[in-house]
Amino acid sequence: MFSRLNGSSFLWKLCLLSLCYLPIAFSHIISSTFDFIVVGGGTSGLLIAEKLSDDPSVSVAVLEAGEAVVDDTTLVPVLFTRFIGTDVDWEFVSVPQKHVSGIQISLPRGKLLGGTASVNGMYFVRAHRKEYDIWEQLGNSGWNWKTVDAHIKAVETFYPASEHDQEEFAAADLPSDHGNKGQFQVSYSNFWQPEPLLVNYIAALNTLGINRTHRASGGSTAGVWQSPTAIKPDNRSRSSVGTDFVLAGNKKPNLQIFTGAIATKIDLNGGISTGGTNHTINLTSRGNVIVTAGTYQTPKLLELSGIGSPAVLNAHGINAVVNLTGVGENLQDHAGVLTTFEIKSGLGQSIEDLIRNATFFAEQEALYVKNRTGALASVPGSTIVMLPIQSIVSNQRLKTLTALLDKALLSFKGTPLEKQLNAQRDLFLDPDVPDIELTLTPGAQDPRASPDPTKSHVTISVITVRPFDRGNVHLNTTNPLDLPLIDPNFLAITDFETEVFVDGIKFVEKLTQTAPLSDIVTAQLFPPSNATDSELSSFVQQSIFSVWHPCGSSSMLPKDQNGVVDANLKVYGTQNIRIADAGIIPVSLGTHTLATVYGNALIAAEIFKHLV
């Protein structure tokens, strides 16, 4: 999830909850020994630790670099982007992107107990079922739609929208496609203003053949629908592994959480060094290290421990204990651009007015404090449109795009990436599987649009969810406190990927010119409506941002495909080191990743329970 609302003044005004910190005392861990040491108490790591420690005979330690924080930023839905640039943001930045005008791109990630799930946009959605089945086809037995979906359901309790919202705003999913006994509560937004904008948007999409779907959580995602969100329906606050854990408190003596603890090196003989203390946490003879430091940090820790490509390690004077060239490679992320439009005034006050209207903000704040309703109680921009490329371009245009893609893929023939890229190509040619996502958010999120502050606006984001580019992430220095070098390599398949973006933008322009949405949209601000194809290409290459869905840097793949872990999540060449964060996802999914990471974590916990 993304937003350009960060930095707006309204995001800093609300303080409804006091900060909550879970203290750490390193003296508690000197010479301590555990059956499992979980490195990274984030979205997957903390959930895995909770599940493993359900067995009182098993001892579990969690090392989390951030603190345990619960405040308005982590709980109040509309405020989620407020974490960017604060102490709970790692503040990762890409290296200059050579295919995107040489710019560096912000890559926000949560630095706190619970990880990015404590600060993200809370979308709780799945990808198309065929995308998960590719994991098994690439050599990971048992990892498929049926398995992952079952485990997502196991952690979810779903609350349907009202009949009115289902009918009016496409907030309709089959309850049977969701879980009803899990620990995370999932509901819909309930603030839809300005309502005429949303109703006309959906109607115009229907006119263009983009229909509603009520099976988005059942593995059939193409169409227009509302995203379920990880929000508790009773008090309209975030439901996440981190916030729920901190609020409930740790009641298990066999689970120890150490915040402010940075792992600096994994000793392959059975221990982990922690930064700033010179202490080592040890494993029992049956113990395992579970690395869940995240897509960007896990490869760095492996490399600091001598696990990785000798070429990378030797450059930093590190001896290659385990030669594993896939570490830090195969990095993937979704990229997006913002299109901005002016709309009729008087349609109803929206989140745009929270920024510029103090009276409206005060009213909404009072509503939230009193009864948890209003603009603060929902995620802005939960209307999702998932588009197979076939639904927006002609057959001839599809042939042109496919030719561009095939030309680019020739350079991967005979490489470890060939099989997964060919699988992605099959998905691209499948008319049931989406390639582009649109999200609609009231307000002008791109300041380059120079919006008139007296008028109303809407932003429609165009996101490509089938990235063929591959990046990498590696250690920058041997100082474990230094952030890694991150290269998403956005638009590396330049001609093809840029053209897909251009087609997405053209569809948005067509959409805004289609009744009844055209009755509301009064002007296209950015990119300008008269832009040529060449100008749109330049716009794309100057406007790309990350949509916060990185994966692949510790891929679950056979070793000959540059895999880092096997289907049991064990790092190749080691006996007791496992990885279970989003980095294991071998091929990017056409969805927001929260639900999948939770599902994968539950699968991982079941695998790990059998190790002791």
Side-chain angles (χ1 to χ4, degrees):
M1 181 58 191
F2 62 90
S3 176
R4 295 295 174 89
L5 290 174
N6 52 294
S8 302
S9 59
F10 91 93
L11 294 176
W12 299 96
K13 293 181 179 177
L14 188 64
C15 187
L16 306 177
L17 300 153
S18 59
L19 289 173
C20 177
Y21 291 96
L22 190 66
I24 173 174
F26 269 102
S27 59
H28 292 173
I29 65 174
I30 298 176
S31 301
S32 291
T33 303
F34 298 89
D35 294 316
F36 291 101
I37 301 174
V38 180
V39 182
T43 307
S44 53
L46 187 56
L47 181 58
I48 290 168
E50 284 188 324
K51 299 304 180 183
L52 292 176
S53 59
D54 284 343
D55 182 347
S57 70
V58 172
S59 57
V60 182
V62 176
L63 306 181
E64 168 54 40
E67 299 295 338
V69 179
V70 173
D71 61 7
D72 53 292
T73 301
T74 61
L75 287 180
V76 181
V78 83
L79 301 183
F80 72 92
T81 58
R82 196 175 78 168
F83 89 97
I84 298 173
T86 70
D87 289 343
V88 295
D89 178 10
W90 278 101
E91 297 189 74
F92 296 118
V93 178
S94 78
V95 300
Q97 294 297 281
K98 60 184 178 181
H99 305 291
V100 189
S101 305
I103 61 176
Q104 291 182 274
I105 294 176
S106 173
L107 305 169
R109 307 304 292 165
K111 185 183 180 182
L112 71 169
L113 195 66
T116 304
S118 294
V119 291
N120 67 2
M122 292 160 274
Y123 287 20
F124 200 95
V125 293
R126 285 96 159 153
H128 194 283
R129 62 177 60 236
K130 294 178 183 179
E131 299 182 74
Y132 294 98
D133 289 341
I134 280 180
W135 298 0
E136 187 164 52
Q137 295 165 17
L138 291 174
N140 299 301
S141 179
W143 289 84
N144 51 42
W145 160 257
K146 183 177 180 180
T147 302
V148 176
D149 179 57
H151 286 79
I152 294 173
K153 288 177 178 175
V155 300
E156 173 191 24
T157 295
F158 175 68
Y159 297 86
S162 68
E163 289 187 9
H164 172 270
D165 289 356
Q166 292 184 40
E167 178 64 28
E168 195 79 353
F169 307 119
D173 250 353
L174 284 184
S176 59
D177 287 336
H178 292 271
N180 56 19
K181 296 180 180 178
Q183 69 190 84
F184 305 119
Q185 298 180 46
V186 176
S187 65
Y188 285 98
S189 292
N190 60 5
F191 183 81
W192 308 105
Q193 297 293 345
E195 291 189 11
L197 170 65
L198 187 50
V199 171
N200 287 20
Y201 180 69
I202 295 170
L205 284 161
N206 296 162
T207 297
L208 294 176
I210 310 302
N211 298 317
R212 300 177 180 214
T213 178
H214 61 280
R215 297 301 310 277
S217 295
S220 182
T221 55
V224 55
W225 41 279
Q226 294 295 333
S227 169
T229 53
I231 296 176
K232 300 174 184 178
D234 56 347
N235 67 6
R236 302 304 298 176
S237 67
R238 180 189 299 270
S239 178
S240 75
V241 65
T243 53
D244 294 354
F245 182 88
V246 174
L247 290 172
N250 180 21
K251 300 178 177 63
K252 297 178 179 178
N254 61 324
L255 172 61
Q256 294 191 50
I257 309 290
F258 304 104
T259 57
I262 298 177
T264 60
K265 184 178 181 181
I266 303 171
D267 182 349
L268 270 65
N269 294 317
I272 292 183
S273 300
T274 58
T277 64
N278 294 319
H279 294 316
T280 298
I281 307 176
N282 299 305
L283 289 170
T284 63
S285 59
R286 64 179 186 173
N288 280 262
V289 174
I290 301 170
V291 186
T292 51
T295 299
Y296 297 143
Q297 295 278 57
T298 288
K300 184 188 79 172
L301 179 59
L302 294 179
E303 290 172 342
L304 288 169
S305 307
I307 303 171
S309 167
V312 173
L313 301 180
N314 291 343
H316 293 277
I318 298 173
N319 180 45
V321 180
V322 177
N323 181 343
L324 197 56
T325 56
V327 171
E329 298 296 315
N330 202 35
L331 177 64
Q332 300 153 63
D333 193 5
H334 295 160
V337 298
L338 305 176
T339 64
T340 310
F341 300 87
E342 188 175 283
I343 60 175
K344 284 183 178 179
S345 298
L347 298 177
Q349 290 180 303
S350 72
I351 60 167
E352 183 174 27
D353 296 295
L354 289 173
I355 301 171
R356 62 191 187 184
N357 186 325
T359 300
F360 180 66
F361 180 90
E363 292 172 352
Q364 297 305 306
E365 181 180 4
L367 281 173
Y368 189 80
V369 172
K370 181 179 180 180
N371 57 23
R372 293 299 195 261
T373 59
L376 276 61
S378 293
V379 176
S382 65
T383 306
I384 300 293
V385 183
M386 300 299 290
L387 300 169
I389 193 68
Q390 293 84 350
S391 66
I392 66 170
V393 301
S394 67
N395 289 335
Q396 184 57 49
R397 176 61 173 167
L398 179 61
K399 290 179 181 179
T400 300
L401 291 172
T402 305
L404 288 173
L405 175 60
D406 288 344
K407 180 180 179 181
L409 294 184
L410 287 174
S411 63
F412 295 96
K413 190 172 180 60
T415 73
L417 291 173
E418 181 180 12
K419 189 171 183 178
Q420 63 170 278
L421 290 173
N422 285 340
Q424 279 191 285
R425 180 186 184 278
D426 291 342
L427 291 178
F428 179 74
L429 294 177
D430 190 324
D432 295 328
V433 182
D435 306 290
I436 294 172
E437 175 184 352
L438 307 181
T439 60
L440 177 143
T441 308
Q445 296 189 40
D446 190 339
R448 298 176 302 169
S450 301
D452 183 336
T454 67
K455 296 184 178 181
S456 298
H457 307 89
V458 64
T459 296
I460 301 176
S461 307
V462 179
I463 301 163
T464 55
V465 297
R466 186 87 44 238
F468 283 86
D469 45 36
R470 293 296 187 269
N472 61 77
V473 52
H474 295 291
L475 79 169
N476 185 14
T477 73
T478 55
N479 182 346
L481 302 182
D482 288 343
L483 298 181
L485 292 173
I486 305 170
D487 183 6
N489 206 20
F490 286 129
L491 299 187
I493 312 296
T494 307
D495 292 343
F496 167 75
E497 292 182 314
T498 301
E499 289 298 303
V500 171
F501 263 116
V502 169
D503 286 329
I505 295 169
K506 286 182 173 181
F507 177 78
V508 169
E509 293 176 343
K510 181 179 180 180
L511 174 63
T512 59
Q513 295 164 10
T514 299
L517 185 57
S518 58
D519 299 334
I520 287 177
V521 174
T522 57
Q524 179 174 331
L525 300 183
F526 202 64
S529 58
N530 58 354
T532 65
D533 285 4
S534 176
E535 288 169 337
L536 288 177
S537 295
S538 296
F539 165 79
V540 168
Q541 293 169 10
Q542 295 170 9
S543 306
I544 288 291
F545 61 90
S546 166
V547 191
W548 308 2
H549 302 150
C551 68
S553 62
S554 305
S555 286
M556 177 177 60
L557 285 169
K559 193 175 180 181
D560 62 4
Q561 294 180 46
N562 246 8
V564 177
V565 299
D566 62 21
N568 288 316
L569 306 182
K570 187 178 74 170
V571 176
Y572 290 113
T574 74
Q575 296 300 314
N576 61 352
I577 300 176
R578 313 275 170 163
I579 301 176
D581 53 37
I584 69 168
I585 296 173
V587 180
S588 180
L589 297 166
T591 188
H592 301 249
T593 50
L594 174 63
T596 298
V597 171
Y598 277 146
N600 287 355
L602 189 58
I603 296 171
E606 293 175 357
I607 293 172
F608 301 155
K609 283 180 180 179
H610 297 291
L611 300 177
V612 294

